[in-house]
Amino acid sequence: MSERKDLEVIASLVPEGARVLDLGCGTGELLAYLQRHRGCTGYGIELDDANVLACAQRGVNVIQLNLEEGLDLFDDRSFDVVLQLETLQHLRNAERMLRETARVGRIGIVSFPNFAHWPNRLSVMRGRMPVTRALPYEWYDTPNIRVGTLADFEVLARKNGLNIEDSFGLQGGRVVRRWPNLRASVAVFKFSK
């Protein structure tokens, strides 16, 4: 249930009829939702073979591409919105991909697990890395290369000249605006260049 609510919250940030690029689109669920409910068009970028097939079966336009190679095949401002949801923490050069997101889209929307969420802090205080719904792996088998917080992303955005238009946390399908760095397991940012 909460994953569906998260999808709806993110979708509400995308203007109706927008041309969208979804980086690390997974099975294409969000793009399919945006097509059906918001009249959007666009492409997903995905590396995993099974996810590319799932996108095609959903009727989502998908390009198989490794994001570590960049977005050189797209011109500046090719899209109204570039989504980078639950992807940034997996990339070796997250800052470069953030700049590429801002270059290719008029608006960027990023989400990632918030390492400063209070259960994560408590776990670290107990001497263990957290294992939660947002961070479901043990420290030794996680696909995440890095962890970050809402406050960390604000600093990175400023450093790269990005204007944060909206930011909040998500917890159990609910938007968290009061103390999101402490109270939310997922960070969400909408920004422009």
Side-chain angles (χ1 to χ4, degrees):
M1 168 84 173
S2 70
E3 288 179 20
R4 183 64 178 188
K5 289 294 285 176
D6 288 0
L7 182 139
E8 292 170 2
V9 169
I10 297 295
S12 73
L13 298 172
V14 178
E16 289 195 23
R19 184 163 159 78
V20 177
L21 181 64
D22 188 353
L23 305 178
C25 67
T27 63
E29 182 180 11
L30 179 57
L31 274 174
Y33 182 91
L34 289 170
Q35 289 170 352
R36 275 192 315 276
H37 298 285
R38 307 222 19 112
C40 296
T41 60
Y43 294 91
I45 303 292
E46 181 57 47
L47 184 60
D48 182 80
D49 292 335
N51 286 345
V52 169
L53 178 60
C55 286
Q57 291 171 337
R58 271 201 164 105
V60 169
N61 295 321
V62 63
I63 300 169
Q64 191 167 26
L65 179 72
N66 183 344
L67 291 176
E68 297 289 359
E69 297 170 7
L71 300 175
D72 292 338
L73 69 122
F74 298 109
D75 292 331
D76 295 1
R77 306 284 192 235
S78 298
F79 295 89
D80 299 313
V81 178
V82 177
L83 302 170
Q84 195 173 157
L85 308 176
E86 305 288 328
T87 304
L88 199 60
Q89 73 273 13
H90 301 290
L91 300 174
R92 293 202 184 286
N93 197 335
E95 186 174 11
R96 176 177 174 237
M97 187 50 62
L98 186 61
R99 286 193 304 267
E100 282 287 274
T101 297
R103 179 187 67 78
V104 170
R106 288 173 174 71
I107 295 172
I109 300 172
V110 173
S111 73
F112 54 90
N114 174 30
F115 199 72
H117 188 217
W118 73 266
N120 298 341
R121 294 178 188 205
L122 185 59
S123 186
V124 170
M125 284 176 40
R126 291 180 177 153
R128 298 288 314 272
M129 290 297 287
V131 177
T132 64
R133 181 173 282 156
L135 294 165
Y137 300 94
E138 293 287 347
W139 67 271
Y140 54 83
D141 70 352
T142 182
N144 297 329
I145 295 173
R146 63 189 34 74
V147 293
T149 70
L150 279 93
D152 289 328
F153 188 85
E154 290 170 356
V155 170
L156 181 61
R158 269 194 309 276
K159 177 184 174 197
N160 285 278
L162 303 178
N163 303 311
I164 296 174
E165 296 180 9
D166 195 6
S167 68
F168 53 89
L170 287 173
Q171 181 58 42
R174 290 175 298 143
V175 172
V176 178
R177 291 198 180 270
R178 187 170 185 206
W179 300 325
N181 210 33
L182 182 64
R183 298 179 52 231
S185 61
V186 175
V188 179
F189 287 87
K190 180 178 179 180
F191 60 89
S192 61
K193 183 73 176 162

